[in-house]
């Protein structure tokens, strides 16, 4: 937890705002009351928007500060991909661990209503300061690693579509859901046809044996 003060929800800027394309500046003093307040307000904003993470540039503040969480329904359950309460990181640094890449869907509070499939290192190591000035170091994989990488990208002026390699895997949530449902229905129909043909063939073979 980062405080029990009254909720303050900030405005989230959207793709096209210049702050999202600039490199954020380092936080100089974690004790600064404005930094403490900003972090608390960002947590409130993330929760209000039902997001997995938020970076300071997304609320028009070009500082290297992120907040994120890993809800139980999103993680894989791997040793370094467990449910995690809200975490605040000041001046985070990340590095890949190993060469394995993973492709997975991402959305963004600054690009509402859309998602895309983004390749990223499956496993990372990250380090930063907590809101109390303590050093936080961790290894992360799968969703945990992805959300940290996504938020740190915001600090460097990078939005997830810039990481994409196949824009056929990018679109509005409703359209992608509709396309997925149509594909499932086609697959079901094809399966039903295949099963009917198999039954017909089996029946013909049985008739032939009796004959």
């Amino acid at each position: 937890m980062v405080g029990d003060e009254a909720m303050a929800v900030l405005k989230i800027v959207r793709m096209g705002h210049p702050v999202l394309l600039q490199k954020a500046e380092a936080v100089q003093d974690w004790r600064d009351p404005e930094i403490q307040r900003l972090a608390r307000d960002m947590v409130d904003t993330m929760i209000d928007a039902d997001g997995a993470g938020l970076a300071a540039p997304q609320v028009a503040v070009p500082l290297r500060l992120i907040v994120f969480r890993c809800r139980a329904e999103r993680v894989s359950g791997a040793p370094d991909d467990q449910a995690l309460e809200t975490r605040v990181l000041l001046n985070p640094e990340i590095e890949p661990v190993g060469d394995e890449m993973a492709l997975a869907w991402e959305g963004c509070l600054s690009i509402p209503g859309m998602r895309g499939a983004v390749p990223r290192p499956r496993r990372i190591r990250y380090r930063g300061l907590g809101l109390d000035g303590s050093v936080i170091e961790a290894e992360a994989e799968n969703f945990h690693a992805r959300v940290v990488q996504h938020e740190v990208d915001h600090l460097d002026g990078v939005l997830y579509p810039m990481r994409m390699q196949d824009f056929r895997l990018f679109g509005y949530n409703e359209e992608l859901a509709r396309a997925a449902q149509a594909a499932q229905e086609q697959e079901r129909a094809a399966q039903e046809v295949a099963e009917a043909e198999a039954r017909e063939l089996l029946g013909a073979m049985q008739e032939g044996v009796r004959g």
Side-chain angles (χ1 to χ4, degrees), residues 134-147:
S134 62
V135 175
I136 296 174
E137 293 182 287
E139 288 198 9
E141 58 186 313
N142 301 332
F143 181 80
H144 186 175
R146 183 167 295 272
V147 70

Side-chain angles (χ1 to χ4, degrees), residues 113-191:
M114 303 189 78
R115 69 177 185 267
V118 184
R120 294 191 186 274
R122 190 184 70 81
R123 188 177 183 85
I124 65 166
R125 182 180 297 109
Y126 65 87
R127 173 189 173 97
L129 292 181
L131 204 52
D132 60 357
S134 62
V135 175
I136 296 174
E137 293 182 287
E139 288 198 9
E141 58 186 313
N142 301 332
F143 181 80
H144 186 175
R146 183 167 295 272
V147 70
V148 174
Q149 291 176 84
H150 179 113
E151 299 310 329
V152 171
D153 265 356
H154 278 299
L155 307 183
D156 294 321
V158 176
L159 300 173
Y160 77 80
M162 300 175 185
R163 297 282 189 191
M164 292 184 61
Q165 298 175 347
D166 187 349
F167 277 86
R168 293 173 298 178
L169 302 175
F170 181 53
Y172 288 98
N173 293 330
E174 294 84 354
E175 296 297 339
L176 291 169
R178 191 175 295 119
Q181 182 178 359
Q184 289 175 351
E185 291 174 353
Q186 290 178 351
E187 185 177 348
R188 262 196 313 270
Q191 182 66 27

Side-chain angles (χ1 to χ4, degrees), residues 177-206:
R178 191 175 295 119
Q181 182 178 359
Q184 289 175 351
E185 291 174 353
Q186 290 178 351
E187 185 177 348
R188 262 196 313 270
Q191 182 66 27
E192 290 172 358
V193 169
E195 290 174 354
E197 290 175 347
R199 287 194 297 269
E200 184 176 346
L201 178 60
L202 179 60
M205 291 174 61
Q206 291 173 340

Side-chain angles (χ1 to χ4, degrees), residues 40-99:
R40 289 193 295 268
D41 290 350
M42 284 174 57
V43 171
D44 291 342
T45 303
M46 174 186 69
I47 293 172
D48 180 74
D50 196 30
L54 191 68
Q58 291 181 273
V59 293
V61 179
L63 290 175
R64 301 188 76 81
L65 191 165
I66 67 172
V67 302
F68 66 93
R69 57 181 174 168
C70 299
R71 288 180 285 188
E73 66 270 20
R74 301 295 300 275
V75 298
S76 64
D80 291 315
D81 189 30
Q82 300 287 327
L84 180 70
E85 291 294 326
T86 299
R87 176 166 284 178
V88 176
L89 280 182
L90 312 179
N91 302 329
E93 300 174 356
I94 61 175
E95 60 177 318
V97 176
D99 299 324

